[in-house]
Amino acid sequence: MKTAFITGITGQDGAYLAKYLLEKGYKVYGGFRRTSTPNFWRLEELNALHDVELIELDILDTGNMVRAFSKYLPDEVYNLAAQSFVAVSFEKPVLTGDITAIGVTKVLEAIRICNPKIKFYQASSSEMFGKVMETPQKETTPFYPKSPYAVAKLYGHWLTIVYRESFDIYGCSGILFNHESPLRGIEFVTRKVSDAVARIKKGKQKFFDIGNIDAKRDWGFAEEYVRGMWLMMQQDTADDYILATNETHTVREFIEHAFRYVDMDIAWIGHGINETAIDKKTGKTVVKINPKFFRPGEVDLLLGDYSKAKEKLGWEPMVRFNKLVEMMVEADLKRIK
Ligand code: GDR
């Protein structure tokens, strides 16, 4: 039986990965940060809460991790812990750097001290491409980060390569494009929209505020992406791979399809920050632009070429944009009593 240690077990990917590894017969330890009210609803929803061993862990504390890895002897460590919200990183750049960049050094140091044979997965991000240098983005596309978050992720990405080349540690990075699911946090745009549309449909809410609706993202289904993470860890040599769908859509399209799914036809009126969406049937406003949600630095377009993952790992996404939107809205409709 293999043993895996997942940092960031309370997040969307942590929960799906735990479930996936449990199904593969792994012993799974899940690291979570101490808070007054720990948040295990995702593991609970996937029916995995009682099969994962939860370990209080802080990736800012190297000693804490050295003790954990010495005690639980993982074969594989998946580093999914991060301050993962791009918008927050503009307000908390130091904290973001500490957790999302320096935190990676601490996890890698703990591995180097305890057992350099432990395999390491780093959650890298398409945000590193930022102001994109070519489209679609490939593993070889130069990076141009546009936020403190993206800079921090770039640090973790390169550090993983440095530990691989300098200390012979099996360190791989998954450059994951946006990946969503019904377990996505409400602060991210997809879940914010699916939740609000479901509430509007059920008469619990009248409208919602949104930021830049013309941003384009390559959105896939998180459950499929965790399989890609595992595949990256099973190769003869460690490498970096893009996981994406090779399709890009605007936030606007996401909103339109979410409403369409609940049989509401919307029309956009006005321009810029005065643009709104109305329900064509009632004429009522259902979406308003709010400058509060604009970012000081925006990533306009992401589109990932996953052909390396397809060729070398045999990985390919099945769930495409429309189905993803529908799955998320459906789950939120069910959540509303
Ligand atoms: P992103 O995801 O920044 O791409 O990073 P997010 O869903 O937050 O934003 C996507 C795009 O939507 C625009 N947007 C809004 N975003 C939010 N959150 N709220 C709004 O109201 C809103 N209105 C418009 C944003 O400006 C942006 O262009 C995600 C995170 O999961 C990262 O951790 C991960 O690394 C990358 O995906 C891949």
mmCIF file of all heavy atoms in Angstrom, residues 182-212:
data_model
loop_
_atom_site.group_PDB
_atom_site.id
_atom_site.type_symbol
_atom_site.label_atom_id
_atom_site.label_comp_id
_atom_site.label_asym_id
_atom_site.label_seq_id
_atom_site.Cartn_x
_atom_site.Cartn_y
_atom_site.Cartn_z
ATOM 1 N N PRO A 182 -18.479 21.570 -8.558
ATOM 2 C CA PRO A 182 -19.426 21.997 -7.522
ATOM 3 C C PRO A 182 -18.736 22.226 -6.165
ATOM 4 O O PRO A 182 -19.327 22.831 -5.282
ATOM 5 C CB PRO A 182 -20.400 20.815 -7.437
ATOM 6 C CG PRO A 182 -20.342 20.187 -8.797
ATOM 7 C CD PRO A 182 -18.905 20.304 -9.210
ATOM 8 N N LEU A 183 -17.503 21.772 -6.015
ATOM 9 C CA LEU A 183 -16.785 21.966 -4.750
ATOM 10 C C LEU A 183 -15.908 23.226 -4.753
ATOM 11 O O LEU A 183 -15.167 23.476 -3.817
ATOM 12 C CB LEU A 183 -15.895 20.758 -4.443
ATOM 13 C CG LEU A 183 -16.582 19.399 -4.329
ATOM 14 C CD1 LEU A 183 -15.578 18.333 -3.901
ATOM 15 C CD2 LEU A 183 -17.727 19.452 -3.328
ATOM 16 N N ARG A 184 -15.979 24.005 -5.794
ATOM 17 C CA ARG A 184 -15.196 25.225 -5.901
ATOM 18 C C ARG A 184 -15.617 26.222 -4.829
ATOM 19 O O ARG A 184 -16.807 26.325 -4.495
ATOM 20 C CB ARG A 184 -15.461 25.823 -7.294
ATOM 21 C CG ARG A 184 -14.552 26.951 -7.725
ATOM 22 C CD ARG A 184 -13.120 26.569 -7.765
ATOM 23 N NE ARG A 184 -12.375 27.256 -8.816
ATOM 24 C CZ ARG A 184 -11.101 27.643 -8.686
ATOM 25 N NH1 ARG A 184 -10.434 27.423 -7.570
ATOM 26 N NH2 ARG A 184 -10.479 28.215 -9.702
ATOM 27 N N GLY A 185 -14.669 26.980 -4.319
ATOM 28 C CA GLY A 185 -14.985 28.022 -3.331
ATOM 29 C C GLY A 185 -15.816 29.131 -3.969
ATOM 30 O O GLY A 185 -15.639 29.444 -5.149
ATOM 31 N N ILE A 186 -16.686 29.715 -3.200
ATOM 32 C CA ILE A 186 -17.643 30.707 -3.689
ATOM 33 C C ILE A 186 -16.976 32.014 -4.135
ATOM 34 O O ILE A 186 -17.560 32.827 -4.844
ATOM 35 C CB ILE A 186 -18.700 30.965 -2.582
ATOM 36 C CG1 ILE A 186 -20.006 31.484 -3.155
ATOM 37 C CG2 ILE A 186 -18.184 31.850 -1.487
ATOM 38 C CD1 ILE A 186 -20.971 30.393 -3.448
ATOM 39 N N GLU A 187 -15.708 32.235 -3.744
ATOM 40 C CA GLU A 187 -15.020 33.479 -4.116
ATOM 41 C C GLU A 187 -14.477 33.439 -5.548
ATOM 42 O O GLU A 187 -14.084 34.458 -6.084
ATOM 43 C CB GLU A 187 -13.913 33.827 -3.104
ATOM 44 C CG GLU A 187 -12.758 32.842 -3.006
ATOM 45 C CD GLU A 187 -13.031 31.658 -2.076
ATOM 46 O OE1 GLU A 187 -14.209 31.324 -1.854
ATOM 47 O OE2 GLU A 187 -12.064 31.050 -1.606
ATOM 48 N N PHE A 188 -14.452 32.261 -6.157
ATOM 49 C CA PHE A 188 -13.987 32.163 -7.550
ATOM 50 C C PHE A 188 -15.170 32.384 -8.492
ATOM 51 O O PHE A 188 -16.309 32.055 -8.157
ATOM 52 C CB PHE A 188 -13.319 30.806 -7.800
ATOM 53 C CG PHE A 188 -12.095 30.615 -6.943
ATOM 54 C CD1 PHE A 188 -12.162 29.915 -5.754
ATOM 55 C CD2 PHE A 188 -10.889 31.199 -7.305
ATOM 56 C CE1 PHE A 188 -11.045 29.773 -4.939
ATOM 57 C CE2 PHE A 188 -9.763 31.066 -6.487
ATOM 58 C CZ PHE A 188 -9.840 30.347 -5.298
ATOM 59 N N VAL A 189 -14.888 32.907 -9.673
ATOM 60 C CA VAL A 189 -15.981 33.457 -10.491
ATOM 61 C C VAL A 189 -17.010 32.396 -10.912
ATOM 62 O O VAL A 189 -18.212 32.671 -10.916
ATOM 63 C CB VAL A 189 -15.427 34.249 -11.704
ATOM 64 C CG1 VAL A 189 -14.936 33.334 -12.821
ATOM 65 C CG2 VAL A 189 -16.457 35.232 -12.224
ATOM 66 N N THR A 190 -16.561 31.206 -11.247
ATOM 67 C CA THR A 190 -17.504 30.186 -11.749
ATOM 68 C C THR A 190 -18.545 29.824 -10.699
ATOM 69 O O THR A 190 -19.739 29.808 -10.964
ATOM 70 C CB THR A 190 -16.754 28.909 -12.163
ATOM 71 O OG1 THR A 190 -15.952 28.480 -11.053
ATOM 72 C CG2 THR A 190 -15.881 29.147 -13.369
ATOM 73 N N ARG A 191 -18.053 29.563 -9.495
ATOM 74 C CA ARG A 191 -18.968 29.139 -8.429
ATOM 75 C C ARG A 191 -19.817 30.319 -7.957
ATOM 76 O O ARG A 191 -20.994 30.158 -7.613
ATOM 77 C CB ARG A 191 -18.161 28.514 -7.301
ATOM 78 C CG ARG A 191 -18.954 28.020 -6.143
ATOM 79 C CD ARG A 191 -19.686 26.712 -6.438
ATOM 80 N NE ARG A 191 -20.854 26.595 -5.552
ATOM 81 C CZ ARG A 191 -20.791 26.505 -4.242
ATOM 82 N NH1 ARG A 191 -19.621 26.446 -3.627
ATOM 83 N NH2 ARG A 191 -21.890 26.451 -3.518
ATOM 84 N N LYS A 192 -19.225 31.518 -7.987
ATOM 85 C CA LYS A 192 -19.984 32.713 -7.629
ATOM 86 C C LYS A 192 -21.197 32.818 -8.567
ATOM 87 O O LYS A 192 -22.313 33.075 -8.134
ATOM 88 C CB LYS A 192 -19.085 33.948 -7.761
ATOM 89 C CG LYS A 192 -19.778 35.257 -7.505
ATOM 90 C CD LYS A 192 -18.802 36.432 -7.584
ATOM 91 C CE LYS A 192 -19.536 37.749 -7.530
ATOM 92 N NZ LYS A 192 -18.630 38.894 -7.447
ATOM 93 N N VAL A 193 -20.951 32.579 -9.858
ATOM 94 C CA VAL A 193 -22.027 32.689 -10.844
ATOM 95 C C VAL A 193 -23.026 31.535 -10.688
ATOM 96 O O VAL A 193 -24.242 31.760 -10.656
ATOM 97 C CB VAL A 193 -21.444 32.728 -12.281
ATOM 98 C CG1 VAL A 193 -22.548 32.616 -13.320
ATOM 99 C CG2 VAL A 193 -20.632 34.002 -12.495
ATOM 100 N N SER A 194 -22.539 30.310 -10.560
ATOM 101 C CA SER A 194 -23.481 29.171 -10.488
ATOM 102 C C SER A 194 -24.372 29.303 -9.258
ATOM 103 O O SER A 194 -25.582 29.046 -9.323
ATOM 104 C CB SER A 194 -22.746 27.828 -10.514
ATOM 105 O OG SER A 194 -21.963 27.639 -9.364
ATOM 106 N N ASP A 195 -23.790 29.733 -8.154
ATOM 107 C CA ASP A 195 -24.553 29.895 -6.919
ATOM 108 C C ASP A 195 -25.596 31.017 -7.067
ATOM 109 O O ASP A 195 -26.768 30.840 -6.718
ATOM 110 C CB ASP A 195 -23.577 30.209 -5.776
ATOM 111 C CG ASP A 195 -24.286 30.571 -4.486
ATOM 112 O OD1 ASP A 195 -24.882 29.655 -3.882
ATOM 113 O OD2 ASP A 195 -24.251 31.748 -4.095
ATOM 114 N N ALA A 196 -25.162 32.153 -7.633
ATOM 115 C CA ALA A 196 -26.079 33.294 -7.760
ATOM 116 C C ALA A 196 -27.214 32.987 -8.744
ATOM 117 O O ALA A 196 -28.377 33.323 -8.488
ATOM 118 C CB ALA A 196 -25.306 34.535 -8.208
ATOM 119 N N VAL A 197 -26.881 32.331 -9.857
ATOM 120 C CA VAL A 197 -27.918 32.005 -10.846
ATOM 121 C C VAL A 197 -28.949 31.050 -10.237
ATOM 122 O O VAL A 197 -30.164 31.216 -10.425
ATOM 123 C CB VAL A 197 -27.280 31.431 -12.138
ATOM 124 C CG1 VAL A 197 -28.328 30.810 -13.048
ATOM 125 C CG2 VAL A 197 -26.515 32.536 -12.881
ATOM 126 N N ALA A 198 -28.473 30.088 -9.475
ATOM 127 C CA ALA A 198 -29.406 29.148 -8.829
ATOM 128 C C ALA A 198 -30.312 29.896 -7.849
ATOM 129 O O ALA A 198 -31.524 29.651 -7.786
ATOM 130 C CB ALA A 198 -28.620 28.051 -8.106
ATOM 131 N N ARG A 199 -29.729 30.828 -7.102
ATOM 132 C CA ARG A 199 -30.530 31.593 -6.134
ATOM 133 C C ARG A 199 -31.555 32.484 -6.832
ATOM 134 O O ARG A 199 -32.690 32.631 -6.377
ATOM 135 C CB ARG A 199 -29.634 32.485 -5.276
ATOM 136 C CG ARG A 199 -28.918 31.705 -4.227
ATOM 137 C CD ARG A 199 -27.914 32.545 -3.453
ATOM 138 N NE ARG A 199 -27.243 31.654 -2.545
ATOM 139 C CZ ARG A 199 -27.781 31.212 -1.412
ATOM 140 N NH1 ARG A 199 -28.963 31.653 -1.021
ATOM 141 N NH2 ARG A 199 -27.139 30.357 -0.649
ATOM 142 N N ILE A 200 -31.137 33.096 -7.935
ATOM 143 C CA ILE A 200 -32.058 33.964 -8.680
ATOM 144 C C ILE A 200 -33.210 33.120 -9.225
ATOM 145 O O ILE A 200 -34.379 33.488 -9.120
ATOM 146 C CB ILE A 200 -31.305 34.719 -9.803
ATOM 147 C CG1 ILE A 200 -30.362 35.767 -9.180
ATOM 148 C CG2 ILE A 200 -32.279 35.396 -10.769
ATOM 149 C CD1 ILE A 200 -29.372 36.392 -10.134
ATOM 150 N N LYS A 201 -32.861 31.959 -9.763
ATOM 151 C CA LYS A 201 -33.898 31.062 -10.306
ATOM 152 C C LYS A 201 -34.915 30.678 -9.234
ATOM 153 O O LYS A 201 -36.109 30.602 -9.480
ATOM 154 C CB LYS A 201 -33.221 29.802 -10.878
ATOM 155 C CG LYS A 201 -34.179 28.760 -11.412
ATOM 156 C CD LYS A 201 -34.917 29.261 -12.642
ATOM 157 C CE LYS A 201 -35.925 28.235 -13.140
ATOM 158 N NZ LYS A 201 -36.715 28.789 -14.269
ATOM 159 N N LYS A 202 -34.403 30.447 -8.030
ATOM 160 C CA LYS A 202 -35.289 30.011 -6.935
ATOM 161 C C LYS A 202 -35.916 31.179 -6.171
ATOM 162 O O LYS A 202 -36.537 30.983 -5.128
ATOM 163 C CB LYS A 202 -34.500 29.143 -5.961
ATOM 164 C CG LYS A 202 -33.962 27.850 -6.573
ATOM 165 C CD LYS A 202 -34.677 26.646 -6.033
ATOM 166 C CE LYS A 202 -34.209 25.394 -6.754
ATOM 167 N NZ LYS A 202 -34.672 24.180 -6.125
ATOM 168 N N GLY A 203 -35.694 32.404 -6.680
ATOM 169 C CA GLY A 203 -36.322 33.572 -6.060
ATOM 170 C C GLY A 203 -35.696 34.006 -4.735
ATOM 171 O O GLY A 203 -36.299 34.749 -3.958
ATOM 172 N N LYS A 204 -34.475 33.543 -4.474
ATOM 173 C CA LYS A 204 -33.805 33.882 -3.199
ATOM 174 C C LYS A 204 -32.934 35.128 -3.330
ATOM 175 O O LYS A 204 -32.376 35.612 -2.364
ATOM 176 C CB LYS A 204 -32.898 32.735 -2.747
ATOM 177 C CG LYS A 204 -33.589 31.408 -2.621
ATOM 178 C CD LYS A 204 -33.968 31.172 -1.185
ATOM 179 C CE LYS A 204 -34.634 29.823 -1.045
ATOM 180 N NZ LYS A 204 -35.531 29.759 0.083
ATOM 181 N N GLN A 205 -32.721 35.563 -4.553
ATOM 182 C CA GLN A 205 -31.819 36.693 -4.802
ATOM 183 C C GLN A 205 -32.296 37.369 -6.081
ATOM 184 O O GLN A 205 -32.850 36.695 -6.957
ATOM 185 C CB GLN A 205 -30.399 36.111 -4.980
ATOM 186 C CG GLN A 205 -29.284 37.113 -5.072
ATOM 187 C CD GLN A 205 -27.902 36.408 -5.111
ATOM 188 O OE1 GLN A 205 -27.689 35.392 -4.463
ATOM 189 N NE2 GLN A 205 -26.996 36.941 -5.888
ATOM 190 N N LYS A 206 -32.062 38.708 -6.192
ATOM 191 C CA LYS A 206 -32.551 39.404 -7.391
ATOM 192 C C LYS A 206 -31.488 39.532 -8.476
ATOM 193 O O LYS A 206 -31.756 39.368 -9.653
ATOM 194 C CB LYS A 206 -33.066 40.789 -6.989
ATOM 195 C CG LYS A 206 -34.321 40.721 -6.122
ATOM 196 C CD LYS A 206 -35.033 42.062 -6.102
ATOM 197 C CE LYS A 206 -36.452 41.938 -5.600
ATOM 198 N NZ LYS A 206 -36.545 41.366 -4.232
ATOM 199 N N PHE A 207 -30.255 39.861 -8.050
ATOM 200 C CA PHE A 207 -29.180 40.080 -9.028
ATOM 201 C C PHE A 207 -27.846 39.795 -8.356
ATOM 202 O O PHE A 207 -27.790 39.579 -7.140
ATOM 203 C CB PHE A 207 -29.205 41.535 -9.537
ATOM 204 C CG PHE A 207 -28.852 42.538 -8.478
ATOM 205 C CD1 PHE A 207 -27.533 42.935 -8.272
ATOM 206 C CD2 PHE A 207 -29.843 43.079 -7.653
ATOM 207 C CE1 PHE A 207 -27.219 43.846 -7.272
ATOM 208 C CE2 PHE A 207 -29.524 44.001 -6.651
ATOM 209 C CZ PHE A 207 -28.204 44.378 -6.464
ATOM 210 N N PHE A 208 -26.762 39.789 -9.146
ATOM 211 C CA PHE A 208 -25.429 39.727 -8.534
ATOM 212 C C PHE A 208 -24.485 40.691 -9.234
ATOM 213 O O PHE A 208 -24.707 41.072 -10.375
ATOM 214 C CB PHE A 208 -24.877 38.296 -8.523
ATOM 215 C CG PHE A 208 -24.624 37.677 -9.879
ATOM 216 C CD1 PHE A 208 -23.386 37.777 -10.496
ATOM 217 C CD2 PHE A 208 -25.635 36.976 -10.542
ATOM 218 C CE1 PHE A 208 -23.153 37.197 -11.734
ATOM 219 C CE2 PHE A 208 -25.409 36.390 -11.775
ATOM 220 C CZ PHE A 208 -24.168 36.510 -12.375
ATOM 221 N N ASP A 209 -23.422 41.071 -8.495
ATOM 222 C CA ASP A 209 -22.381 41.981 -9.005
ATOM 223 C C ASP A 209 -21.220 41.162 -9.547
ATOM 224 O O ASP A 209 -20.868 40.140 -8.976
ATOM 225 C CB ASP A 209 -21.825 42.841 -7.864
ATOM 226 C CG ASP A 209 -22.787 43.935 -7.454
ATOM 227 O OD1 ASP A 209 -23.714 44.226 -8.223
ATOM 228 O OD2 ASP A 209 -22.600 44.492 -6.352
ATOM 229 N N ILE A 210 -20.578 41.683 -10.576
ATOM 230 C CA ILE A 210 -19.462 40.952 -11.167
ATOM 231 C C ILE A 210 -18.401 41.942 -11.651
ATOM 232 O O ILE A 210 -18.705 43.128 -11.821
ATOM 233 C CB ILE A 210 -19.994 40.046 -12.331
ATOM 234 C CG1 ILE A 210 -19.034 38.938 -12.687
ATOM 235 C CG2 ILE A 210 -20.367 40.872 -13.552
ATOM 236 C CD1 ILE A 210 -19.168 37.715 -11.865
ATOM 237 N N GLY A 211 -17.187 41.454 -11.882
ATOM 238 C CA GLY A 211 -16.099 42.318 -12.359
ATOM 239 C C GLY A 211 -15.935 42.253 -13.864
ATOM 240 O O GLY A 211 -16.888 42.517 -14.622
ATOM 241 N N ASN A 212 -14.729 41.892 -14.304
ATOM 242 C CA ASN A 212 -14.408 41.884 -15.735
ATOM 243 C C ASN A 212 -15.026 40.670 -16.437
ATOM 244 O O ASN A 212 -14.541 39.556 -16.292
ATOM 245 C CB ASN A 212 -12.877 41.879 -15.869
ATOM 246 C CG ASN A 212 -12.424 41.777 -17.305
ATOM 247 O OD1 ASN A 212 -13.207 41.954 -18.243
ATOM 248 N ND2 ASN A 212 -11.141 41.481 -17.474
#
